[in-house]
Amino acid sequence: GENVEQHPSTLSVQEGDSAVIKCTYSDSASNYFPWYKQELGKGPQLIIDIRSNVGEKKDQRIAVTLNKTAKHFSLHITETQPEDSAVYFCAAGRSSGNTPLVFGKGTRLSVIA
Amino acid sequence: DGGITQSPKYLFRKEGQNVTLSCEQNLNHDAMYWYRQDPGQGLRLIYYSQIVNDFQKGDIAEGYSVSREKKESFPLTVTSAQKNPTAFYLCASSIGGRGSYEQYFGPGTRLTVT
């Protein structure tokens, strides 16, 4: 089955700097890769996702890149702000077949003002 | 206002009691999921259902049970057989059909068993 590894587990950056979180996956059939942001005491919220037919996707300060050959994908947050502080999860799944998403263990991002 | 609701937000039970966590969605999604979250463990799948009256075990189903009698509802029962039930429980739903469409999460229920 699919296995998703996420690094680092914790990340501290200065406000205005960039943050990068990396994930690797094992199942070459996975073709859908979402990222979620979870604030304290709340459920995760989908912030961006990418499908395997593209290599990069951007949404304002957030971007995700995908390298299918190496089976890894990354979340990039530029110009970080204190409200970016949260736990971020990556996940991997297939768009064919009824298999649920598999999640990484999360990265706790702290943006220091 | 569409979304996923979980109730209650906090739940306290004595050891040895069964407890049922509620999850309701009005997104007309076919698929629903239950996850358990512990510190440093990420999201672990307990059960999922791709369609009404059908569900499958996830990675950590032991000590839990579910039902899916209605499309909108997917309650989770934490039984007395679950050895370490204290955790944050998250319900999610997705359009379903063939594969991993976007999943949307509820606000979670924090269960404490003493």
Side-chain angles (χ1 to χ4, degrees):
Chain A
E2 176 65 274
N3 182 52
V4 176
E5 299 281 343
Q6 182 172 347
H7 299 280
S9 56
T10 59
L11 178 61
S12 291
V13 299
Q14 293 291 326
E15 183 178 359
D17 287 350
S18 296
V20 180
I21 302 170
K22 298 182 179 181
C23 289
T24 61
Y25 63 99
S26 61
D27 186 354
S28 57
S30 288
N31 55 7
Y32 173 64
F33 307 93
W35 286 88
Y36 288 83
K37 175 183 180 182
Q38 185 179 28
E39 296 177 346
L40 193 63
K42 297 183 179 180
Q45 299 291 313
L46 178 68
I47 56 172
I48 195 168
D49 56 13
I50 191 169
R51 297 181 191 268
S52 60
N53 57 347
V54 298
E56 183 175 4
K57 184 176 178 181
K58 280 186 178 180
D59 183 3
Q60 298 182 344
R61 296 186 297 107
I62 292 172
V64 58
T65 59
L66 171 65
N67 182 327
K68 286 193 300 181
T69 304
K71 295 203 208 61
H72 65 71
F73 56 113
S74 301
L75 177 71
H76 303 254
I77 306 173
T78 59
E79 301 172 19
T80 54
Q81 301 166 2
E83 51 266 37
D84 294 328
S85 296
V87 178
Y88 292 81
F89 292 96
C90 63
R94 300 182 190 184
S95 61
S96 61
N98 290 321
T99 54
L101 291 171
V102 176
F103 286 82
K105 292 191 174 182
T107 296
R108 181 173 300 279
L109 173 65
S110 299
V111 179
I112 303 163
Chain B
D1 188 23
I4 305 173
T5 57
Q6 291 184 244
S7 61
K9 188 170 177 66
Y10 299 96
L11 192 53
F12 298 88
R13 280 293 183 272
K14 294 290 188 186
E15 198 173 311
Q17 293 178 336
N18 291 355
V19 59
T20 297
L21 282 60
S22 167
C23 177
E24 305 277 333
Q25 54 96 3
N26 61 3
L27 300 168
N28 200 32
H29 285 173
D30 284 316
M32 297 186 74
Y33 312 81
W34 273 106
Y35 293 88
R36 171 181 171 138
Q37 188 173 28
D38 297 283
Q41 294 289 329
L43 302 171
R44 293 188 289 169
L45 183 66
I46 305 173
Y47 268 98
Y48 65 103
S49 167
Q50 297 284 6
I51 199 166
V52 174
N53 292 322
D54 189 37
F55 48 82
Q56 288 80 40
K57 292 182 180 180
D59 300 319
I60 56 164
E62 186 176 347
Y64 299 97
S65 65
V66 293
S67 63
R68 186 83 188 279
E69 297 176 2
K70 298 188 299 182
K71 188 175 185 178
E72 304 79 27
S73 179
F74 190 39
L76 173 75
T77 296
V78 184
T79 75
S80 56
Q82 168 49 232
K83 291 185 179 7
N84 187 17
T86 295
F88 189 51
Y89 290 88
L90 288 160
C91 179
S93 71
S94 67
I95 294 172
R98 293 182 63 79
S100 303
Y101 292 88
E102 295 88 342
Q103 285 189 14
Y104 298 92
F105 284 84
T109 291
R110 186 166 298 281
L111 172 65
T112 302
V113 177
T114 57

